[in-house]
Amino acid sequence: PRPGSELPEGWRWVRLGEIIRSVESGKRPKGGVKGIANGIPSIGGEHLTWDGRFDFSNLRYVSPEFYRSLRKGKIIQGDVLIVKDGATTGKTAYVSEKFPFKAVCVNEHVYILRVRENMSNSRYVFLFLVSPAGQKQIRGTFHGAAQGGINSKFVDQVLFPLPPLSEQRRIVAHLEAVQEKIRALKSAQSETDEDLNRLEQAILDKAFRGEL
């Protein structure tokens, strides 16, 4: 939906920052992470995929001592992660209950967003940010040259369609059911991936216009 356009009754436009209680990034130890063969996983932009999931095929690590020293950047369930700079700025992923690591952090290229649970459902926020409407707004806050990015103030520039919590939960349940069917179809009919991707994006667009 176009920011500021009419929404269904009970919905309202808010700034993303109004429903986010914190935006934080991580860091790497002095000297980087090369040579650290195991320890605590450190998530960077390369570990987020464009469809909102994770790719752990080339993990990097920090030492347990460095992880314990971190005041910010530790991942917990329900976090929304966004790549903050470089060519893949805007890639977004969600830390669900199926996330495979208990102790894990992000590096300096990734933001962690945590929502105000009394206002919004974190999965709903993720689904909006990974949708075409959300991605368009994130890219609209990009600054700098090709290797620029977004800063933590981007949440005050992104307009967010906010329905009541019960409606957010209903939309999440519906979208997750649809996405599960689409994933099954993709695995069964790989030649139709492009059509199914377009269908998934169209469904996301409808969801955030209140048309489900």
Side-chain angles (χ1 to χ4, degrees):
R2 182 174 299 174
S5 60
E6 186 175 354
L7 292 171
E9 184 178 354
W11 293 46
R12 61 191 175 98
W13 287 104
V14 299
R15 299 282 176 183
L16 181 61
E18 295 178 49
I19 61 167
I20 299 296
R21 59 184 173 90
S22 68
V23 181
E24 59 186 58
S25 187
K27 60 181 181 179
R28 281 182 282 193
K30 188 176 181 179
V33 296
K34 288 184 178 179
I36 304 177
N38 52 57
I40 305 297
S42 175
I43 301 298
E46 69 273 22
H47 302 119
L48 279 64
T49 66
W50 283 111
D51 62 355
R53 290 183 282 181
F54 293 93
D55 178 1
F56 300 122
S57 59
N58 187 27
L59 272 178
R60 304 286 188 178
Y61 299 91
V62 297
S63 69
E65 294 77 18
F66 179 80
Y67 175 80
R68 287 193 292 269
S69 75
L70 291 173
R71 293 188 175 184
K72 295 181 178 180
K74 295 179 179 179
I75 295 173
I76 61 174
Q77 184 178 319
D79 283 347
V80 179
L81 308 186
I82 298 181
V83 178
K84 63 190 279 288
D85 49 35
T88 60
T89 297
K91 271 200 303 187
T92 305
Y94 180 74
V95 181
S96 73
E97 67 280 358
K98 296 180 181 179
F99 195 73
F101 307 110
K102 294 293 184 184
V104 58
C105 56
V106 296
N107 66 21
E108 71 275 20
H109 299 294
V110 177
Y111 280 134
I112 297 174
L113 272 59
R114 294 194 177 122
V115 307
R116 299 182 187 276
E117 293 87 354
N118 63 328
M119 295 184 68
S120 194
N121 177 289
S122 60
R123 182 74 177 174
Y124 176 83
V125 173
F126 156 72
L127 287 168
F128 174 74
L129 292 176
V130 82
S131 76
Q135 285 292 299
K136 183 178 180 180
Q137 289 201 64
I138 292 172
R139 287 194 297 271
T141 70
F142 190 96
H143 63 278
Q147 293 303 309
I150 57 178
N151 60 38
S152 60
K153 299 298 183 185
F154 88 95
V155 296
D156 297 322
Q157 300 175 55
V158 173
L159 284 171
F160 181 82
L162 184 70
L165 270 170
S166 58
E167 180 70 356
Q168 292 178 46
R169 289 190 284 267
R170 187 190 73 82
I171 289 171
V172 167
H174 179 85
L175 290 178
E176 288 183 340
V178 170
Q179 287 174 330
E180 187 61 36
K181 291 178 182 178
I182 288 175
R183 281 193 287 270
L185 285 169
K186 283 180 179 179
S187 64
Q189 300 179 330
S190 58
E191 71 274 10
T192 66
D193 271 4
E194 188 175 339
D195 290 336
L196 290 170
N197 282 331
R198 282 198 294 266
L199 172 62
E200 187 172 15
Q201 296 302 303
I203 292 169
L204 284 169
D205 270 343
K206 283 191 172 186
F208 297 108
R209 288 199 298 268
E211 295 179 3
L212 286 182

